[in-house]
């Protein structure tokens, strides 16, 4: 079965500094991978997705992620954090080869201080 | 498109009562998913439908939970009878195939007292 492990439950950064949210995945075949963001008391919004095209994926709000098969990783990065980036971030993998049901990681809370 | 629409946004009910959560997916999406989110367990997939047919309901916690999708534009998640441990945020999402990701609704915050 597919799974994802988000290595940090909480990450704190200062505004203007880089963001790194780490995610490792487990999959029997080439997975589809996603990052979602959830702001407090809001629904989940798709940040970016990897579906076996370019390994460096650019998403919304300046975020990007790199698929590294050798490391089974899909870390999320942003060069410069903004206060509005404070939220919960979920790394997600497709469950089966047809890629229909998604499995969510436990989430990483990103705090941004001024 | 208005996105995935869930109702109600908030529901407070007494233990033992029936609760019905509603979802309208995005037009043209042929997959619909119900998730539950709690602090303890995170996001859990309860059930999903493809073309209105339930495909996997292994995440439904017990027989008190049931879900239906009578047509392509409407789904319900029912809890009968409700219990305090059912308190959570319930999300509905729709998709045209997960390679495209899901679009989530705003969720229903359920509190069972």
């Amino acid at each position: 079965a597919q799974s994802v492990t988000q290595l940090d439950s909480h990450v704190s950064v200062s505004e203007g500094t880089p963001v790194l949210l780490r995610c490792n995945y487990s999959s029997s075949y080439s997975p589809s991978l996603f990052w979602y963001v959830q702001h407090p008391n809001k629904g989940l919004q798709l940040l970016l997705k990897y579906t076996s095209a370019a390994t460096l994926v650019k998403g919304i709000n300046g975020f990007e992620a790199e698929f590294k098969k050798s490391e089974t990783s899909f870390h999320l990065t942003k060069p410069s954090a903004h206060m509005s980036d404070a939220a919960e971030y979920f790394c997600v993998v497709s469950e089966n080869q047809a890629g229909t049901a998604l499995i969510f990681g436990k989430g990483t809370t990103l705090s941004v201080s001024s | 498109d208005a996105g995935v629409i869930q109702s109600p946004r908030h529901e407070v009910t007494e233990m033992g009562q029936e609760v019905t959560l509603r979802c309208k997916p995005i037009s043209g999406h042929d997959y619909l998913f119900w998730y539950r989110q709690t602090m303890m367990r995170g996001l859990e997939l309860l059930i999903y439908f493809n073309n209105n047919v339930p495909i996997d309901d292994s995440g439904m916690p017990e027989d008190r939970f049931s879900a239906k999708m009578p047509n392509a534009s409407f789904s319900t998640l029912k809890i009968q009878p409700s219990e305090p441990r059912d308190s959570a945020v319930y999300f509905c999402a729709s998709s045209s195939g997960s390679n495209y990701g899901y679009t989530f609704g705003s969720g229903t915050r359920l509190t069972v007292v």
Side-chain angles (χ1 to χ4, degrees), chain B residues 24-78:
Chain B
K24 176 178 168 56
I26 290 175
S27 177
H29 282 186
D30 51 5
Y31 288 92
L32 183 140
F33 305 82
W34 283 100
Y35 279 84
R36 178 172 68 176
Q37 186 178 37
T38 61
M39 289 291 291
M40 291 296 294
R41 300 172 71 91
L43 269 164
E44 302 173 276
L45 176 65
L46 299 178
I47 184 171
Y48 76 92
F49 297 82
N50 179 214
N51 292 322
N52 313 336
V53 176
I55 302 300
D56 184 355
D57 65 354
S58 60
M60 296 285 262
E62 48 197 274
D63 292 345
R64 298 184 296 107
F65 286 69
S66 62
K68 294 182 180 180
M69 192 166 185
N71 56 61
S73 59
F74 184 66
S75 176
T76 60
L77 177 67
K78 185 178 293 186

Side-chain angles (χ1 to χ4, degrees), chain A residues 22-110:
Chain A
R22 298 182 295 163
C23 173
N24 287 348
Y25 70 90
S26 173
S27 178
S28 302
Y29 49 84
S30 296
S32 293
L33 292 159
F34 308 82
W35 278 96
Y36 280 80
V37 62
Q38 185 178 29
H39 288 91
N41 298 314
K42 300 288 187 183
L44 290 97
Q45 181 183 20
L46 180 64
L47 268 181
L48 50 80
K49 61 186 177 186
Y50 165 78
T51 55
S52 74
T55 56
L56 182 62
V57 182
K58 294 187 184 298
I60 61 173
N61 300 335
F63 284 94
E64 61 182 37
E66 186 171 7
F67 174 73
K68 292 186 176 180
K69 186 175 181 179
S70 61
E71 299 176 10
T72 62
S73 69
F74 190 58
H75 301 335
L76 181 70
T77 60
K78 182 173 181 178
S80 176
H82 191 273
M83 295 295 287
S84 61
D85 294 329
E88 186 89 7
Y89 292 79
F90 295 92
C91 182
V92 185
V93 66
S94 59
E95 183 190 50
N96 54 45
Q97 197 162 8
T100 47
L102 302 182
I103 303 300
F104 283 73
K106 296 293 186 185
T108 298
T109 300
L110 175 65

